[in-house]
Amino acid sequence: MALVSQADNPPLQVPQWPRSRQIRDRPAMRDDIHPTPSGTPDSGAAQTLPSVCPLDCPDTCSLSVTVQDGQIRAVHGSHANPFTAGVICNKVARSYAGFVHGPNRLTRPLRRTGPRGGDGFEPISWEEALDLIHEGFSSAIAAHGGQSVLPLNYAGPHGELAAGSIDRRFFYKMGATRMNRGPLCGGVRGGAYESLFGTAPGMPPAQVLHSDLVLVWGNNVTVSNLHLAPLLKQARKAGAKLVVIDPKRTKIAEQCDLHLQLVPGTDVVLAMALAAELDRRGALDQDFIARWTTGADQYMAAAHGYTPDQVRDICGLPVEQFNQLADWICAARTMSTSLGNGIERGRSGGSGLRAAVALQALTGQHGRIGAGVMAKPGFAAPKTPARLQGDHLIDPDTRVINILDVARKMLDPQMRIPIRAVMIYNHNPVATHPDQARLIEALSQEEIFVAGSDVVMTDSMRMCDVILPASSHFECNDVYGAYGQNYIQRAAPVIAQVGESLPNTEIFRRLAARFGYDTPEFRDSDAELMDQAMDAQSPYLQGFRPQDMPLDRALEITTADGREPVMCDSVLPATPSGRIELFSDRYEAEGGFGVPRYDPATRKLPFVLITPSSSKRTNATFGDQPLSDGEEIVEIHPEDARRLDLQEGDKVDLLNDQATVGLVAHITDATRPGVLYSPKGTWRKSSHTGLTVNALIPIDLRTDIEDGACYNETCVELRKRAP
């Protein structure tokens, strides 16, 4: 792959000051923030300390961090969490020290001095920064009311305190516009799962060792669910068959017994046709259906509209593969399904997810260990988000907007209450939202005041008028649930706060004080917040208060009586009917999707672009680190490469009516003809046009349920770039 040298693409030189500098205007630290962690030396011998990875990943690994002279020297996996068992991904091991201590680290508050999107910033004091934000927000509120302020945050750190605590209370008290964040990512998958099971936790991944057939559906395991991979290897060694259903031949697909490389966005056709085929073979579990489901008659009536021939013609799969999978499902005693977020990213994504998990219910593959859906095991965590986030402060009349509509709303001159102030935190929207150019345009409006907070200078922070330096999770106290496994954990600081950075909790305490919000809920310490984040009476905490949970081991969530979580046995569907609901009244009323159905998007250009998880970044985190230097690759099938006269390593442009993006061709038959792959999360410096693949992704096309983003319905042309 051709690389852009550092000389061609120098990093932003964020002002740095010695750590010992005395900051006279910095308010006194709260005693619970621990600026110098107990037992952590300021200099001398290296020490190894426990921590937890907070990134947006289902695994939530326990970490072992080597610290010397007040800096992180190495990050390894630890065995505190039996699920992650000492193994972490390459990107965390290689990039975290540079992320925390590198030249891109934000160490002081900054004020913009040049055009938005550029490098023109000067350091200011915390007092000045808070005053500027107070002025910017107050001007908007005075002219248009609290709803003219928008908190633009998503899923940066996944610690309960950092992700949503004092910050939510602050904006609720202000009456700021609220956001529905799920449609950006995860909301479609969550809605699909809950439509069948409610908020009942799904099967913990470790139970896959008891399965004799495993379907890995739309889940790039080795990149975004790493710790499932060795479990799958063990299951296969014990005799289980592994089926991977994915448009790309991923690494896990190279290790499976059957890979169904279907056309992107056609999962629902395959799943519904399988349901009909299994019914024709008499393989449905009628006793289980009668006891544990509702809506089966309506569901199967729709399923019989799908045939093996449609699987061949629409999904692009040989009928022989379809029949092989049906044979194995019929023969399976204990089948499980692992679902990734890949399915949700198409127009029919919600239907594809619902149809995939419905196969488990239709065949009676619940009620015993190793039979079930590996999704949402974290629902069992004893979290209390309403208390932590201060839901009592919400004015129910405050508007709620879809996070995907932020740019359009900001640019709309007809809005009754315009957006005139924005705060970006826990998020890098410029790198992650569809239709990137429109979002950049929206954030470039000088009449909108933009504040931001982050650990490092990002493309999104460059759009801000004022930037507040946030501490990394290595510098904070927090407690951690997980959405992909059934353990809860706590972490304490392993280093002092870098420069003048502050934890999210302290940043919003100071903002609240500057705005005159002085009730006790805005003064809660981090220790108090940890106790508010989880139910201390839960048996899963084993008698610990959340703030006192051990640092050197994770606490396993089973059931109240200590049994393994098993749907339709020790865990019951948390739906209105108390059963698995195959027909959704809600989705029928909202869009006619009471049962799953194929509703394809029109594709007018020759290629469809898929933007999966990267092995170099977690979403956009680490996009500034050396692993992400240079132009990103785009994978293209050899047939398409020959037709376009492309060679390995050629520079190419992907384009549609929204943007042009520069990439480097990687020719591989791991893709299907007509399908391109380029990993998500790149930063603007990676492309000669200053735009990334997100600029090509449509914003107005939405998923069938939950109004989600259709990342995998991105149609493009591909052209060889002139030398």
Side-chain angles (χ1 to χ4, degrees):
M1 180 175 72
L3 297 178
V4 177
S5 72
Q6 284 287 51
D8 296 329
N9 215 356
L12 172 69
Q13 296 302 307
V14 179
Q16 304 283 309
W17 279 265
R19 291 162 52 84
S20 60
R21 173 174 172 148
Q22 297 299 311
I23 309 300
R24 281 175 291 182
D25 53 40
R26 181 173 181 170
M29 277 287 186
R30 300 183 61 101
D31 60 8
D32 65 293
I33 295 179
H34 306 303
T36 302
S38 176
T40 304
D42 289 326
S43 62
Q47 186 170 354
T48 299
L49 298 167
S51 191
V52 176
C53 185
L55 298 180
D56 186 7
C57 165
D59 291 13
T60 314
C61 300
S62 59
L63 302 178
S64 181
V65 184
T66 302
V67 176
Q68 187 174 26
D69 297 328
Q71 292 203 341
I72 293 168
R73 302 301 185 188
V75 178
H76 301 284
S78 89
H79 290 271
N81 185 334
F83 174 64
T84 61
V87 177
I88 58 173
C89 61
N90 182 55
K91 52 197 169 189
V92 164
R94 292 183 60 181
S95 297
Y96 242 133
F99 178 78
V100 173
H101 300 295
N104 210 30
R105 179 68 195 264
L106 292 166
T107 62
R108 290 198 67 183
L110 301 174
R111 170 172 51 202
R112 179 169 65 93
T113 59
R116 289 210 177 140
D119 293 344
F121 290 91
E122 65 178 7
I124 57 176
S125 69
W126 267 99
E127 183 178 354
E128 290 174 294
L130 296 174
D131 284 346
L132 286 170
I133 294 174
H134 181 264
E135 178 184 348
F137 285 8
S138 295
S139 295
I141 293 168
H144 304 287
Q147 292 182 96
S148 64
V149 178
L150 175 73
L152 184 50
N153 62 309
Y154 183 61
H158 269 234
E160 302 303 317
L161 276 59
S165 56
I166 300 286
D167 57 305
R168 300 292 179 95
R169 300 176 188 186
F170 173 74
F171 286 114
Y172 292 160
K173 174 71 173 178
M174 182 179 288
T177 289
R178 295 158 57 204
M179 270 202 313
N180 177 12
R181 299 170 179 84
L184 184 66
C185 181
V188 176
R189 181 171 177 257
Y193 177 89
E194 290 178 43
S195 72
L196 277 85
F197 304 104
T199 56
M203 173 179 149
Q207 290 187 15
V208 76
L209 296 176
H210 300 276
S211 304
D212 61 9
L213 175 62
V214 186
L215 310 186
V216 172
W217 206 320
N219 185 9
N220 191 351
V221 170
T222 57
V223 170
S224 53
N225 195 184
L226 178 65
H227 299 88
L228 182 59
L231 296 174
L232 295 172
K233 184 177 181 179
Q234 291 179 58
R236 290 189 73 211
K237 188 174 181 180
K241 287 185 169 59
L242 174 61
V243 177
V244 173
I245 304 169
D246 198 297
K248 181 180 178 180
R249 191 179 69 243
T250 59
K251 185 174 181 180
I252 199 68
E254 293 173 351
Q255 303 167 8
C256 73
D257 299 287
L258 177 64
H259 176 208
L260 278 69
Q261 193 173 13
L262 76 177
V263 171
T266 63
D267 307 82
V268 61
V269 176
L270 172 61
M272 294 294 271
L274 279 168
E277 178 66 19
L278 294 170
D279 189 22
R280 283 189 286 269
R281 297 186 184 195
L284 301 189
D285 188 332
Q286 299 298 340
D287 290 340
F288 183 91
I289 290 169
R291 169 65 182 87
W292 284 107
T293 76
T294 65
D297 289 343
Q298 292 154 296
Y299 189 97
M300 291 309 303
H304 279 286
Y306 296 84
T307 67
D309 286 346
Q310 287 178 306
V311 172
R312 179 195 62 215
D313 298 338
I314 297 173
C315 303
L317 296 175
V319 173
E320 294 77 17
Q321 284 191 342
F322 174 82
N323 287 329
Q324 178 68 85
L325 178 55
D327 289 344
W328 287 354
I329 294 175
C330 289
R333 300 182 308 278
T334 310
M335 180 176 81
S336 60
T337 298
S338 169
L339 295 168
N341 281 359
I343 307 172
E344 78 164 25
R345 295 173 168 237
R347 165 61 190 163
S348 299
S351 289
L353 286 157
R354 293 168 66 207
V357 299
L359 288 171
Q360 295 281 148
L362 292 168
T363 54
Q365 292 288 356
H366 290 288
R368 54 196 178 278
I369 292 177
V373 177
M374 283 177 272
K376 302 294 184 179
F379 272 156
K383 299 180 184 181
T384 50
R387 179 174 58 168
L388 178 63
Q389 298 175 12
D391 283 8
H392 64 282
L393 296 168
I394 296 174
D395 180 347
D397 294 327
T398 304
R399 68 183 175 188
V400 179
I401 67 172
N402 186 324
I403 192 171
L404 298 177
D405 293 330
V406 163
R408 182 170 60 84
K409 298 289 187 184
M410 290 175 66
L411 290 165
D412 185 357
Q414 305 303 318
M415 289 261 302
R416 184 178 63 85
I417 303 174
I419 294 171
R420 286 294 177 262
V422 175
M423 183 160 184
I424 303 171
Y425 69 101
N426 288 357
H427 195 24
N428 187 355
V430 171
T432 54
H433 281 227
D435 199 0
Q436 181 183 65
R438 183 168 9 180
L439 182 62
I440 292 171
E441 179 188 0
L443 290 170
S444 297
Q445 298 175 96
E446 289 291 342
E447 63 269 29
I448 297 179
F449 174 78
V450 184
S453 179
D454 212 320
V455 177
V456 298
M457 180 65 82
T458 68
D459 291 333
S460 298
M461 290 298 101
R462 287 185 172 88
M463 307 302 297
C464 296
D465 297 298
V466 180
I467 301 172
L468 305 179
S471 297
S472 74
H473 81 286
F474 291 122
E475 303 150 51
C476 306
N477 288 291
D478 219 326
V479 290
Y480 298 85
Y483 61 86
Q485 43 103 335
N486 59 319
Y487 289 87
I488 52 178
Q489 303 171 88
R490 180 173 76 90
V494 300
I495 58 171
Q497 279 128 23
V498 174
E500 294 183 47
S501 69
L502 292 174
N504 279 4
T505 49
E506 181 66 10
I507 287 172
F508 283 96
R509 283 190 201 100
R510 295 187 182 194
L511 282 170
R514 184 63 186 83
F515 278 78
Y517 305 159
D518 59 359
T519 51
E521 58 217 336
F522 295 103
R523 299 194 299 269
D524 285 335
S525 70
D526 285 1
E528 291 168 326
L529 291 172
M530 284 190 279
D531 285 349
Q532 295 164 19
M534 294 191 179
D535 179 8
Q537 304 306 311
S538 169
Y540 306 140
L541 267 64
Q542 301 176 20
F544 294 104
R545 289 191 304 170
Q547 65 173 287
D548 296 326
M549 286 165 52
L551 297 173
D552 59 354
R553 65 184 175 96
L555 303 182
E556 185 178 9
I557 305 169
T558 54
T559 63
D561 57 1
R563 290 189 291 163
E564 287 266 11
V566 176
M567 185 70 70
C568 301
D569 180 31
S570 58
V571 172
L572 303 180
T575 58
S577 66
R579 299 183 177 199
I580 300 170
E581 297 186 351
L582 299 175
F583 181 91
S584 169
D585 291 325
R586 175 194 162 195
Y587 289 147
E588 180 66 23
E590 290 180 357
F593 288 92
V595 293
R597 63 182 170 87
Y598 183 49
D599 186 26
T602 301
R603 294 176 178 172
K604 298 180 179 179
L605 294 175
F607 291 100
V608 60
L609 171 67
I610 306 300
T611 49
S613 297
S614 170
S615 61
K616 299 178 287 188
R617 299 171 295 278
T618 299
N619 295 324
T621 301
F622 305 140
D624 62 328
Q625 294 302 300
L627 282 176
S628 290
D629 282 348
E631 291 182 294
E632 186 57 87
I633 64 166
V634 58
E635 297 184 18
I636 181 171
H637 192 273
E639 291 180 14
D640 295 320
R642 283 192 293 272
R643 180 171 53 83
L644 296 172
D645 191 28
L646 288 178
Q647 304 297 318
E648 178 72 17
D650 279 349
K651 294 181 181 293
V652 299
D653 285 338
L654 268 58
L655 62 154
N656 58 21
D657 60 2
Q658 293 183 183
T660 299
V661 177
L663 298 160
V664 175
H666 173 50
I667 301 169
T668 171
D669 63 1
T671 69
R672 291 181 57 97
V675 178
L676 305 175
Y677 281 80
S678 190
K680 66 181 178 180
T682 53
W683 291 21
R684 294 179 67 185
K685 66 180 182 179
S686 67
S687 168
H688 72 98
T689 65
L691 297 171
T692 73
V693 290
N694 284 63
L696 303 164
I697 297 167
I699 195 73
D700 297 320
L701 180 65
R702 301 294 170 86
T703 53
D704 48 356
I705 65 171
E706 301 297 336
D707 205 26
C710 289
Y711 293 92
N712 290 353
E713 301 287 4
T714 302
C715 297
V716 297
E717 298 180 64
L718 186 151
R719 296 176 185 170
K720 188 173 182 178
R721 201 185 319 160

